Amino acid sequence: MSERENIFTRIREALTVKAHAHHGATLPTTAEHRAVLPAVGATTAEQVALFTKNASDLRANFQPVTDTAALTAALIALRDAEKWRRVAVHPGALAQPQVAALGVPTLVADGTATKEELGQCDAGITECDALVAQTGSVLVTSRSAGGRALSCLPPHHIVIARRAQVVADLPAAFALLAQKYGGNYPSMISFITGPSRTGDIERILVLGAHGPKQLSIFLLD
Amino acid sequence: MTAPAAQFTLDARRVAPDTRHRGIIQTAMGKYEVVRDQRKLWFQDWQGARNLAARTKFAAVNQLDTHLAEFAKNLEARGTKIHWASNAEQARSIILGILKAKNAKVVVKSKAMTSEEIHLNDAMETAGCEVVESDLGEYIVQLRQEPPYHLVFPAMHLTRGEIQKTFQDKLLDAPTDNPEDLTMVARRVLRQKYIQADVGITGANFAIAETGMISITENEGNARLTAALPKTMITLVGIEKVLPRLADLALFLPMLAVMGTGQALTCYNTLYGGPRQPGEADGPEEYHVVLLDNQRTTLLADAEQRDALGCIRCGACLNVCPIFRNVGGHTYGTVYGGPIGSVITPHLRGLQDWKHLSFASSLCGACTETCPVKIDLHHHLLQNRRNAFAPATGKPSWWQKTAFKLFAPVANSPALWSLTTKLGRFGQIFHGLVKGSALDPAQAWTKTREVAPIAKQSFREWMKERES
């Protein structure tokens, strides 16, 4: 017998004795989840306001921009402030056109760049799948964020999102994933909630443990 | 006394009166309690959330075979190799086999308690690999050659000065004892390791049956990099980690964050459903998931304590436990410490060797009250005590029988009870002469503790006086 069969035999044998369901045994519905989870306003304006507050609490840099020209200007300002020498970008319709104006060497995260090269970039510019108002999270996948490393390896992660991508809460984010990707999910899906952090030394918060020290989120109207 | 019990007693006696240790733990826990309680209020209905979480875990664990089969089938469909391990030895040999096939020299690991369970690092190092723990706390304890102190905060027992010393000794690099500087030292060292590593090994917080994904919760980004850069990725996961649906995470991710660290959501909650897929920019070429039983089915067979398999390893029960806070994480001598460890270790490693942990409890119930998935922890400790005596040694000893024979008539007669407490008050006057010495019948208690004086007046006496 294979080890798989051995384990399943033991599981099935164990489960012949029924346990008492003290708190119920049925899977909760989304409505039940929403009734207990933190409340979120119904309108987009409320949700953007909540996202703004959460992002600030998380020490992320959240900036609404009116159009792509304003976005370009904001990115140029960051380039100058941080003296970027090299950036990497997700090959998407929203992100990729932005890097041309930066005038620094650019790596396109389409599978051609090596991890060493990616590790030398000052910023990683990605798109996202959603912004979650409830928690201030950016939902990225390997398809919206140039694979797995781009949103994690460079010291500054920059996210370009559209206002329509703001979702109310975590149940909405999971519903969106199911609807968008159905039976063909990306191999990595990540909820990014603020810049990388640790509290492992005396429970004192330090940003930039292994992932990005900074997270900037630009919201296009 | 068994060897683990003797060691426990020895270590507990050493740590409990250590005021320095106590200070470190109390400072850390004080900070945690404040943020945890704020976050509980952030939920519309925290108690309701606990009920839903308990229901979900009940459904998951009580149909474990169905969910596990679905989980494996979905992962395999997208190119993941699934391995099944009944015990630690099998799990080690599977992983060593992969390392050998890949000719791996450097292995980078993100935090995995299951790997502590199977002593994976020792085995990999013996096989000639350089193994690097990438979680900062785990990295610190690895440099010190210590086991993790706590499920969530592995280096919680260390001060910044001690960590600076460790870095100076082992890395020859630690300019100050500032936590930020120390973190940046580790960041610099580990960056190189992620890029060099041939294989990345992770644990898992949840295994999603519906979509065939593992879910990893972390703050630092070390698991993200472990899963992104090496060519081969291995996840070691206990079979009990399954959740039926992807959407169940909408409840479990924030609950784990609130109870684990007092955050709304941990910084990175990441799902992995396979190796790099066609059209993706990067990711491992191979993905292996090792499913570990290692006596979990023994716990599953105990219908009374089956709910303990629902544990999400948030560490909340450790944080509130007066025993944990007194004796510290290392004293348990187990992979899983605190109340949950005391409940499950006897199932995982043998009741007779580990029953002492169930007696090291005041049965105050703080663990049960805080548990986000409503595991009936303190009753399980009581059941372990019962089971430890049944059926082979199910008879009480002569002194237990005698004690209860003497106690029963006294407790059943108001007059005798009243007389006994009066005698007690009288006797206590002289107790100071022998307190804590070998002549003291209560020496085990009084050696390190003060005894509260018996009240000058009993409640009955007070009531009588008041009525007259």
Side-chain angles (χ1 to χ4, degrees), chain B residues 344-406:
Chain B
I344 65 175
T345 305
H347 294 269
L348 304 181
R349 294 171 70 180
L351 178 59
Q352 290 310 321
D353 276 347
W354 296 96
K355 64 185 179 191
H356 59 281
L357 296 179
S358 299
F359 290 88
S361 163
S362 60
L363 299 177
C364 70
C367 47
T368 307
E369 200 172 292
T370 203
C371 177
V373 294
K374 298 191 96 167
I375 300 169
D376 198 2
L377 289 158
H378 72 294
H379 284 114
H380 293 341
L381 292 173
L382 207 50
Q383 289 151 5
N384 280 349
R385 294 185 187 184
R386 177 200 65 201
N387 296 346
F389 282 98
T393 51
K395 298 268 183 332
S397 66
W398 66 267
W399 65 265
Q400 285 170 324
K401 278 193 238 170
T402 316
F404 275 92
K405 254 181 201 147
L406 291 170

Side-chain angles (χ1 to χ4, degrees), chain B residues 258-274:
Chain B
V258 168
M259 292 320 265
T261 53
Q263 288 170 283
L265 212 55
T266 316
C267 192
Y268 299 102
N269 284 284
T270 312
L271 289 148
Y272 296 100

Side-chain angles (χ1 to χ4, degrees), chain A residues 3 10 14 17 23 28 36-37 142 148 151 153 185 187 189-191 193 196-198 200 202 210-211, chain B residues 44 55 78 86 90 134 137 160 187 191 219-220 224 227 229 245 267 269-271 274 280 282 293 306:
Chain A
E3 245 10 270
R10 287 197 296 272
V17 186
H23 312 288
V36 300
L37 286 170
S142 37
R148 298 189 184 192
S151 57
L153 197 54
Y185 285 96
S187 76
I189 299 169
S190 192
F191 289 85
T193 311
S196 158
R197 61 197 56 212
T198 185
D200 273 350
E202 292 189 6
H210 296 287
Chain B
Q44 291 178 76
R55 263 169 62 186
R78 309 217 308 148
S86 282
Q90 287 175 8
S134 60
R160 60 181 82 187
R187 180 183 170 103
R191 280 261 139 171
N219 266 315
E220 298 180 2
R224 291 270 324 262
L229 301 177
R245 307 166 304 183
C267 192
N269 284 284
T270 312
L271 289 148
E280 292 184 347
D282 57 7
D293 177 351
R306 188 176 291 161

Side-chain angles (χ1 to χ4, degrees), chain A residues 34-104:
Chain A
R34 284 219 165 94
V36 300
L37 286 170
V40 180
T43 68
T44 310
E46 283 172 296
Q47 290 165 14
V48 172
L50 180 58
F51 189 90
T52 310
K53 186 195 170 294
N54 282 332
S56 145
D57 289 349
L58 290 161
R59 306 205 202 168
N61 163 31
F62 177 66
Q63 229 175 299
V65 283
T66 45
D67 52 27
T68 47
L71 172 62
T72 310
L75 288 175
I76 287 173
L78 275 182
R79 173 201 68 188
D80 294 342
E82 296 180 2
K83 302 189 172 57
W84 292 348
R85 283 159 307 174
R86 182 193 283 260
V87 297
V89 67
H90 165 72
L94 208 53
Q96 200 172 1
Q98 286 298 323
V99 293
L102 289 175
V104 293

